[in-house]
């Protein structure tokens, strides 16, 4: 990440989606392992077939767990002192950058399960954007929102660029 930062820019926070997003894709392989374990209890199936089925189900679960983890790890949400960076992708990388001084509004939404487990959805509205950027299953969404707002206000108070005085205000 440090090679993606602009000169003089500092990293404030980097998050990945909450781990709950890995549960749904793993339900089918886990159900398969449970089914094979139940079939293992029946002595009518030859033991060689039971061993092969058990090892195959466990191998499939292990491989699928690796795929799900790589997909989870390939999506990140970064706040620097100047920008919000949304990166996705494993083999090809897509990046969306929102300048903090262009952020107009951030809304958060948490379901009951999200409140219990500590994750939620954030929508970032920025000036000139066609629509809001949606960040799903973000851990501690209020902390992320507050960090973006405080950094944006600090940047606006500095006139948009560090070291540049803010424009004069008239009362």
């Amino acid at each position: 990440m440090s090679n993606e930062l602009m000169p003089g820019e500092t990293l404030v926070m980097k998050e990945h989606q909450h781990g709950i997003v890995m549960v749904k894709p793993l339900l089918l392989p886990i159900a398969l392992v449970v089914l094979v374990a139940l079939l293992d209890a029946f002595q009518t199936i030859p033991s060689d077939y039971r061993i092969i089925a058990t090892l195959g189900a466990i191998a499939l679960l292990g491989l699928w767990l690796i795929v799900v983890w790589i997909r989870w790890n390939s999506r990140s949400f970064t706040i620097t002192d100047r920008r919000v960076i949304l990166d996705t992708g494993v083999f090809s990388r897509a990046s969306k950058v929102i300048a903090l001084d262009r952020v107009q509004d951030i809304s958060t939404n948490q379901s009951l399960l999200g409140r219990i487990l500590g994750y939620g959805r954030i929508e970032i509205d920025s000036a000139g954007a066609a629509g809001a950027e949606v960040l799903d299953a973000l851990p501690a969404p209020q902390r992320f929102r507050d960090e973006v707002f405080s950094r944006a206000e600090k940047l606006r108070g500095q006139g948009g660029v560090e070291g540049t005085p803010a424009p004069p205000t008239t009362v």
Side-chain angles (χ1 to χ4, degrees):
M1 176 63 209
S2 61
N3 60 346
E4 297 174 14
L5 297 179
M6 297 185 312
E9 188 175 33
T10 58
L11 177 66
V12 174
M13 176 189 299
K14 184 172 184 174
E15 293 282 352
H16 291 279
Q17 286 183 306
H18 193 276
I20 194 75
V21 298
M22 292 190 284
V23 172
K24 186 177 177 183
L26 289 174
L27 288 178
L28 185 61
I30 290 172
L32 180 64
V33 169
V34 169
L35 178 66
V36 168
L38 289 174
L39 290 176
D40 230 5
F42 294 112
Q43 298 299 325
T44 57
I45 301 172
S47 66
D48 292 343
Y49 294 133
R50 289 189 313 219
I51 291 172
I52 291 171
T54 302
L55 291 176
I58 291 172
L60 180 68
L61 176 63
L63 287 173
W64 196 246
L65 181 62
I66 291 169
V67 168
V68 168
W69 183 83
I70 288 171
R71 286 180 53 204
W72 171 83
N73 199 39
S74 70
R75 189 165 190 194
S76 65
F77 312 111
T78 306
I79 302 173
T80 70
D81 58 347
R82 296 182 192 170
R83 312 178 285 167
V84 176
I85 305 167
L86 315 171
D87 286 323
T88 58
V90 177
F91 299 111
S92 62
R93 204 81 170 134
S95 184
K96 173 81 176 183
V97 177
I98 303 168
L100 285 177
D101 58 352
R102 312 255 321 151
V103 171
Q104 293 182 328
D105 188 37
I106 299 178
S107 60
T108 58
N109 185 10
Q110 283 185 289
S111 64
L112 178 61
L113 184 61
R115 290 185 65 185
I116 292 170
L117 297 178
Y119 70 91
R121 174 185 173 126
I122 290 183
E123 294 181 21
I124 302 175
D125 289 322
S126 61
E133 282 301 318
V134 178
L135 315 177
D136 280 321
L138 190 69
Q142 288 83 6
R143 185 185 69 189
F144 193 90
R145 176 200 61 208
D146 294 346
E147 192 65 47
V148 170
F149 270 140
S150 68
R151 295 290 171 164
E153 288 302 315
K154 185 177 180 183
L155 194 62
R156 285 185 194 114
Q158 294 174 347
V161 178
E162 236 174 275
T164 306
T169 57
T170 57
V171 184

